[in-house]
Every structure is written in C-alpha cells, then in structure tokens.
Amino acid sequence: MSEAVAPIGLSWAPKLPSLPTTGGGGSSKSGPALKRSSVQASLWKPANELVDGLFVPPRDPKKINKLVKKSVKDTSGKGWFDMPAPTITPELKKDLEVLQLRHVMDPKRHFKRSGKSKALPKYFQVGTIIEPASEFYSSRLTKRERKTTLVDEMLSDPALKSYRKRKVREIQESRTPGGNQKWKNKGKNTEEGKG
C-alpha cells in the first residue's frame, strides 16, 4: 500500500495492516495464512467505512443492530446471572445425551422429563460433587469407582451392567422366532451339521 498524504486537518494518518494476497499458488501452509488473514480482516476496515482515516459506525439502524449483536456475548441473560454458553466437546455431548436418557437407565428411579425437545441445552454448567466428611462410609465413591465422565461411570457400574444385560436378553428373546432356529450358529454338534 503506497504512502498516502494525510487529509487536510489531520497531522497523522492511521497505518492499516496490509492484507496478504491469497493467490492460487498452491501453498501448503494455507491454514496459518487463513488465520492471519481473518485476524487482519477483522482489524482492517474498507476505505468506504473510514472518514478522515477513522472508523465511523453506520447510521442505518439495521447495520447498527447487526454490529451490536456481534459485540454482545452469548449468555443466558440477567435472570440466570449471565451464564455463558459453554463449548460442547464430544465428552460433554455424550454426558448430556445420557442425562436426557436417565429415565431408561434405572427402573427404580423416575425422573421428570426435561421437555419434548430432543435438542441439547444451550446454556448449562458442569460441576463436581464433593462429599462431606460425614458420608465417608455411606455414599462415597472410591477412587476406583471415580471416572472422568458420567458415561464412563455408568458403564462401569456393576448393578447397571447387570440390568442392561438382562434387558438386552429380554429384547432378544422377544424378537427371535419361536420354532425357527436358523438365527443360531450352526456348528459341528448340531442336528443339521451331522447329516
């Protein structure tokens, strides 16, 4: 960018970062170049938005609202103490899906349904339960029972494992045909295998 003469009345001219040219040269390092160009694009404003070298917000109310929405952080609102929306990792996604299906996991407990929507919640927080000293022998998880995610804890629970196996066996028995034994593996010791 050539050095421009400062407009009348200004003794300085702002120095805007130059945008890199993105030619089709087939460079293998396109990832970092794209990051740098997006950062510079957020700093650089086109000449039609600059007045005397300074950025002036638009006068159009629609454009102003658009700029305001971009600058506002994504929170749940003042009623929920501006709880931010967390980034959803695969582990968090699995934990949220397990929480939505918790009424299926244990037949003895009944939970209130969270609603008819199957979408994952947008605003939530994850915490760690710390047991008091009075529950050291009664309802404390040992170090071996503690897992990193809720899904891992549920999969390692022996009572839940036996319940799952029993339910799978019941479903398989109800879906297998009554007199037809074709679904079983034929081996050397079966009636059809001998003849």
Side-chain angles (χ1 to χ4, degrees):
M1 192 158 119
S2 63
E3 197 64 38
V5 178
I8 300 173
L10 287 177
S11 60
W12 59 274
K15 294 187 178 186
L16 299 174
S18 62
L19 292 175
T21 58
T22 54
S27 64
S28 62
K29 298 179 182 177
S30 61
L34 287 176
K35 285 183 184 177
R36 272 188 255 118
S37 67
S38 65
V39 169
Q40 288 179 349
S42 66
L43 296 174
W44 184 79
K45 301 289 182 191
N48 61 358
E49 292 184 14
L50 297 177
V51 177
D52 292 334
L54 301 173
F55 174 71
V56 177
R59 292 185 180 172
D60 186 18
K62 288 182 182 178
K63 288 185 180 179
I64 291 173
N65 287 341
K66 201 172 194 181
L67 285 173
V68 168
K69 282 183 184 178
K70 282 184 182 178
S71 66
V72 172
K73 291 183 180 177
D74 190 17
T75 62
S76 61
K78 201 171 188 179
W80 285 92
F81 304 102
D82 295 323
M83 181 174 27
T87 56
I88 296 183
T89 61
E91 292 86 12
L92 265 179
K93 187 175 180 181
K94 286 179 187 175
D95 284 350
L96 289 173
E97 288 170 352
V98 164
L99 282 175
Q100 283 186 335
L101 296 172
R102 67 181 181 254
H103 63 277
V104 178
M105 292 294 170
D106 194 359
K108 305 292 182 189
R109 291 186 191 160
H110 298 284
F111 295 98
K112 182 180 178 183
R113 291 189 68 108
S114 60
K116 298 213 177 196
S117 68
K118 294 182 180 178
L120 297 176
K122 188 174 182 181
Y123 305 104
F124 61 91
Q125 288 182 342
V126 179
T128 305
I129 298 174
I130 300 173
E131 300 91 1
S134 61
E135 293 184 1
F136 187 78
Y137 293 107
S138 60
S139 64
R140 183 182 65 94
L141 288 175
T142 61
K143 282 187 179 179
R144 186 174 290 180
E145 292 171 340
R146 292 174 200 254
K147 304 293 179 190
T148 55
T149 61
L150 186 64
V151 176
D152 294 336
E153 275 189 28
M154 295 189 105
L155 288 175
S156 66
D157 186 19
L160 187 60
K161 191 180 285 187
S162 65
Y163 173 72
R164 275 195 333 261
K165 283 184 179 180
R166 183 172 56 89
K167 289 308 263 185
V168 167
R169 195 176 332 109
E170 287 175 6
I171 292 170
Q172 284 178 346
E173 288 173 2
S174 68
R175 291 188 180 175
T176 55
N180 193 356
Q181 298 292 324
K182 289 183 180 178
W183 60 275
K184 287 188 176 179
N185 290 334
K186 293 181 181 176
K188 293 180 181 177
N189 299 331
T190 59
E191 297 286 334
E192 290 112 12
K194 290 180 182 177

